């Protein structure tokens, strides 16, 4: 296990952990978006509530959720370690030079990640915490009782401040993904002339389309909710 410990504590090992956890989180975003789009169905929230019931009671999904939480924590910790290591290695002069030689998103991944972390805390408090411990009303579909999480979302997105925070956070996520998507595959060894361009195209499309669709949801719900 000595080689494994050395790998995890090395710069390469930290980048590898960032890539693997980042890849899992990218996949999670796609699945999470598919679920959230159920909010836009004109069925009074039935599709979203049934989806939420399945996601919170299925054993396999719950295990994946715990893995996702672990990946978020590991991703954050390793990002901090890499940022500290890189700043020490550069020094003040080295940082000034590198600042002009790399993309803005690459230089500010730490800041972008911190903003996303703050958003996640707010998001989990407003939805995940309420789902588990809040006094949420219930609805019955085909004889099955489910929590009416749709009503929680509608109430949240009736607040223009929450909608604004969500939209801005999705813009930040887009910038974070713009660099992180391609970097993830590069770290995993898919850095080849044959693959670089397709990965770059897919990564940039994902970085725009997914955050935009996430941001559209609260905007539409705010505009269609009576005030």
């Amino acid at each position: 296990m000595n080689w494994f410990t050395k790998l995890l504590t090395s710069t390469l090992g930290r980048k590898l952990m960032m890539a693997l956890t980042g890849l899992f989180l990218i996949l999670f975003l796609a699945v999470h978006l598919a679920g959230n789009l159920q909010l836009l169905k004109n069925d009074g929230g039935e599709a979203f509530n049934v989806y939420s019931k399945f996601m919170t009671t299925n054993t396999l999904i719950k295990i994946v959720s715990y893995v996702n939480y672990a990946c978020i924590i590991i991703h954050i910790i390793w990002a901090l370690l890499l940022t500290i290591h890189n700043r020490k290695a550069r020094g003040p002069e080295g940082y000034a030079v590198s600042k002009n030689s790399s993309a803005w998103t690459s230089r500010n991944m730490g800041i972008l990640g911190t903003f996303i972390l703050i958003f996640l805390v707010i998001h989990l408090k407003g939805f995940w915490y309420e789902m588990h411990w809040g006094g949420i009303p219930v609805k019955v579909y085909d004889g099955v009782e489910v929590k009416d999480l749709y009503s929680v979302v509608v109430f949240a997105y009736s607040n223009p401040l929450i909608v604004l925070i969500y939209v801005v956070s999705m813009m930040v996520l887009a910038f974070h993904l713009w660099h992180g998507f391609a970097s993830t595959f590069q770290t995993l060894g898919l850095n080849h002339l044959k693959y670089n361009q397709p990965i770059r195209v897919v990564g940039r499309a994902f970085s725009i389309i997914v955050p935009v669709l996430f941001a559209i949801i609260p905007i539409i719900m705010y505009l269609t909710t009576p005030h």
Side-chain angles (χ1 to χ4, degrees), residues 2 15 47 79 102 107 117 141 157 163 182 188 221 223:
N2 190 39
K15 287 184 177 180
S102 60
R107 298 195 310 268
L117 174 61
Y141 304 115
Y157 292 157
V163 173
L188 293 175
M221 294 188 72
L223 294 176

Side-chain angles (χ1 to χ4, degrees), residues 5 28 33 38 71-72 74 77 81 98 120-121 141 170 224:
T5 304
F28 169 78
L33 174 61
Q38 306 299 314
C71 283
I72 292 174
I74 293 171
I77 292 174
L81 291 174
S98 66
L120 282 175
V121 172
Y141 304 115
M170 291 306 101
T224 56

Side-chain angles (χ1 to χ4, degrees), residues 182-197 199-200:
S183 178
T184 292
F185 286 90
Q186 186 178 56
T187 302
L188 293 175
L190 292 175
N191 187 23
H192 189 278
L193 291 176
K194 184 178 180 180
Y195 308 115
N196 286 349
Q197 186 60 24
I199 290 174
R200 189 177 296 113

Side-chain angles (χ1 to χ4, degrees), residues 54-193:
F54 172 76
M55 295 295 287
T56 54
T57 56
N58 182 276
T59 303
L60 179 60
I61 298 299
K62 290 172 71 174
I63 292 172
V64 172
S65 297
Y66 295 138
V67 173
N68 179 61
Y69 302 146
C71 283
I72 292 174
I73 295 171
I74 293 171
H75 198 76
I76 293 169
I77 292 174
W78 257 253
L80 290 172
L81 291 174
L82 277 172
T83 300
I84 294 171
H85 178 271
N86 290 338
R87 286 185 176 178
K88 286 182 178 179
R90 286 172 186 154
E93 295 182 1
Y95 181 74
V97 173
S98 66
K99 188 174 182 179
N100 295 319
S101 61
S102 60
W104 183 89
T105 50
S106 176
R107 298 195 310 268
N108 295 280
M109 287 295 278
I111 296 174
L112 296 173
T114 301
F115 192 97
I116 293 171
L117 174 61
I118 294 172
F119 164 74
L120 282 175
V121 172
I122 297 173
H123 186 65
L124 289 173
K125 170 61 178 68
F127 298 101
W128 181 83
Y129 179 86
E130 289 298 320
M131 175 186 67
H132 287 282
W133 295 287
I136 300 176
V138 297
K139 285 196 171 183
V140 178
Y141 304 115
D142 298 326
V144 179
E145 188 177 274
V146 301
K147 291 184 177 180
D148 187 16
L149 291 172
Y150 178 77
S151 65
V152 176
V153 179
V154 170
F155 177 77
Y157 292 157
S158 65
N159 185 333
L161 179 59
I162 292 179
V163 173
L164 178 62
I165 291 173
Y166 198 100
V167 172
V168 171
S169 298
M170 291 306 101
M171 292 172 60
V172 174
L173 176 63
F175 281 114
H176 193 73
L177 287 170
W178 188 268
H179 170 74
F181 193 102
S183 178
T184 292
F185 286 90
Q186 186 178 56
T187 302
L188 293 175
L190 292 175
N191 187 23
H192 189 278
L193 291 176

